[in-house]
């Protein structure tokens, strides 16, 4: 019995190092200005998928929507044990909010065909909304189980999981296919040296193109041969466009995003910011009014 487990991972700007040019004028993140890292809880989601592969036998397929250099998180996934990777990349995906992101990922999942489980991290450290997982489940019309620590049992028909709740955990059961959002509850395995030796040569077509400095490489025989060689040796990172996954152009990227990020900035609280509050009703009321006025509340 083998399972197909999709894992969606995100390459995120390292928000520990926000610099002045972190934002573009149109309110989107200037990803080139910030070091890019593997979203931490997506490493936990990948680890859970690889544990399911070890325990039940599974094919682990990792997908990400991002710019061409997001292929880095896919190579990092191959180093740890992923079987196949897909980079969903296209200028028309840029500036997507969670609605547009989850729609694009749902098109990718449908293009990948039959699956038993979809795993996402609980939250990305840049947008911090924790919305994409549940939204993706809605669009795939499958049950969602959020804040998952571990899988207790898995069969072709149902799954039993351990869900993290305040002060402990609860055990949930659900029919499959289902979507899980995974919390920081396991020790992600390190990249395996043997796999790194092999998969450091894994490439997308765009990377292959760049390496061969051939502007119009896509039509050349040579590219097709290279692509076949990569595919035959399991080293091709599939690169899918909006058109290839059949995405409606009105529902992706900035066009498909009702939410626009106005501004982001680092908030570094200094001692001067501390304020003594009278422990009275009036003191607390004044504080609430102040917080509403400066839009911290409401
Ligand atoms: C500071 C900031 C604030 C933002 N605020 C909002 C907002 O309020 N509302 C809004 O709609 N958008 C917002 N965005 C845009 C939002 O970041 C993007 O839409 C993003 O692609 C998904 O949202 P998220 O980062 O919150 O991810 P989350 O919903 O926190 O991600 C949860 C999980 O979904 C999966 N996932 C998320 N993005 C991808 C991807 N590109 N590829 C593969 N898997 C993925 C991962 O498994 C991830 O762990 C904000 C962006 C920034 C930088």
């Amino acid at each position: 019995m083998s399972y197909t487990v999709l894992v969606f991972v995100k390459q995120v700007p390292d928000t520990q190092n926000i610099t002045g040019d972190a934002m573009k004028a149109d309110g989107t993140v200037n990803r080139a200005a910030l070091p890019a890292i593997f979203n931490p809880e997506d490493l936990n989601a990948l680890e859970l998928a690889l544990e399911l592969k070890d325990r039940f036998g599974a094919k682990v397929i990792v997908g990400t929507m991002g710019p061409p250099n997001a292929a880095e998180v896919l190579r990092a996934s191959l180093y740890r044990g992923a079987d196949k990777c897909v980079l969903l990349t296209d200028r028309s995906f840029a500036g997507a909010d969670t609605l547009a992101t989850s729609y694009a990922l749902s098109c990718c999942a449908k293009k990948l065909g039959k699956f038993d489980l979809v795993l996402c991290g609980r939250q990305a450290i840049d947008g911090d909304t924790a919305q994409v997982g549940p939204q993706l489940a809605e669009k795939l019309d499958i049950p969602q189980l959020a804040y998952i620590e571990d899988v207790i049992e898995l069969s072709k028909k149902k799954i039993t999981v351990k869900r993290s709740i305040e002060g402990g955990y609860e055990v949930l059961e659900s029919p499959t296919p289902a979507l899980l959002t995974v919390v920081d509850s396991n020790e992600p395995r390190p990249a395996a040296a043997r796999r790194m030796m092999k998969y450091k040569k894994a490439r997308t077509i765009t990377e292959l193109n760049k390496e061969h400095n051939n502007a119009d490489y896509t039509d050349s025989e040579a590219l097709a041969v290279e692509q076949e060689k990569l595919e035959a040796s399991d080293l091709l990172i599939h690169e899918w466009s909006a058109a290839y996954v059949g995405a409606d152009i009105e529902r992706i990227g900035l066009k498909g995003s009702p939410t626009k990020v106005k501004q982001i900035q680092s908030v570094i609280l200094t001692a001067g910011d501390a304020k003594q509050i009278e422990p009275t009703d009036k003191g607390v009321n004044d504080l609430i009014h102040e917080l509403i006025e400066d839009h911290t509340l409401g």
Side-chain angles (χ1 to χ4, degrees), residues 8-10 29 39 42 63-65 96-98 101 105 120-124 126-133 259 261 264:
F8 285 109
V9 303
K10 190 179 178 188
V29 175
N39 184 52
D42 297 350
T64 190
M65 178 188 90
D97 70 358
T98 59
T101 300
L105 297 181
C120 289
R122 172 183 62 94
Q123 190 159 331
D126 57 345
D128 252 359
T129 64
Q131 291 170 6
V132 169
T259 312
V261 179
I264 61 169

Side-chain angles (χ1 to χ4, degrees), residues 90-104:
D90 195 316
R91 285 189 182 291
S92 52
F93 288 134
D97 70 358
T98 59
L99 192 72
T101 300
S102 57
Y103 168 69

Side-chain angles (χ1 to χ4, degrees), residues 50-206:
L50 296 171
E51 284 170 8
L52 295 176
K53 177 177 175 177
D54 300 341
R55 288 165 59 192
F56 302 104
K59 180 174 183 180
V60 174
I61 303 175
V62 178
T64 190
M65 178 188 90
N69 65 358
E72 279 316 321
V73 291
L74 299 177
R75 265 185 290 275
S77 304
L78 290 166
Y79 299 161
R80 287 171 171 78
D83 299 294
K84 174 179 174 175
C85 286
V86 174
L87 173 62
L88 198 57
T89 191
D90 195 316
R91 285 189 182 291
S92 52
F93 288 134
D97 70 358
T98 59
L99 192 72
T101 300
S102 57
Y103 168 69
L105 297 181
S106 72
C107 297
C108 179
K110 289 175 184 162
K111 189 76 185 174
L112 282 164
K114 237 171 143 318
F115 54 81
D116 298 284
L117 289 176
V118 179
L119 270 52
C120 289
R122 172 183 62 94
Q123 190 159 331
I125 61 169
D126 57 345
D128 252 359
T129 64
Q131 291 170 6
V132 169
Q135 287 177 336
L136 177 54
E138 275 308 300
K139 291 185 178 66
L140 295 172
D141 194 21
I142 57 176
Q144 54 181 280
L145 301 134
Y147 295 79
I148 299 310
E149 289 183 4
D150 201 0
V151 170
I152 299 169
E153 197 43 64
L154 177 65
S155 72
K156 276 291 176 185
K157 291 215 170 347
K158 75 174 184 183
I159 186 169
T160 310
V161 297
K162 196 175 163 188
R163 170 182 149 91
S164 165
I165 56 172
E166 216 157 312
Y169 67 87
E170 59 188 357
V171 174
L172 300 177
E173 214 173 71
S174 162
T176 52
L179 180 140
L180 280 53
T181 76
V182 181
V183 294
D184 173 12
S185 55
N186 56 33
E187 202 49 49
R189 67 195 62 190
R194 191 179 40 75
R195 292 184 68 93
M196 283 179 83
M197 292 312 291
K198 173 176 177 183
Y199 289 107
K200 68 177 189 234
K201 303 186 206 92
R203 293 286 180 274
T204 63
I205 291 303
T206 301

Side-chain angles (χ1 to χ4, degrees), residues 78 83-84 198-199 202 229-237:
L78 290 166
D83 299 294
K84 174 179 174 175
K198 173 176 177 183
Y199 289 107
K229 270 198 236 152
L230 277 185
E231 198 139 21
S233 43
D234 234 0
L235 292 173
L236 181 68
I237 296 176

Side-chain angles (χ1 to χ4, degrees), residues 92-96 100 248-258 260:
S92 52
F93 288 134
D248 170 352
I249 211 78
E250 298 300 322
R251 296 182 62 189
I252 56 176
L254 271 175
K255 259 200 196 149
S257 300
K260 303 273 181 300

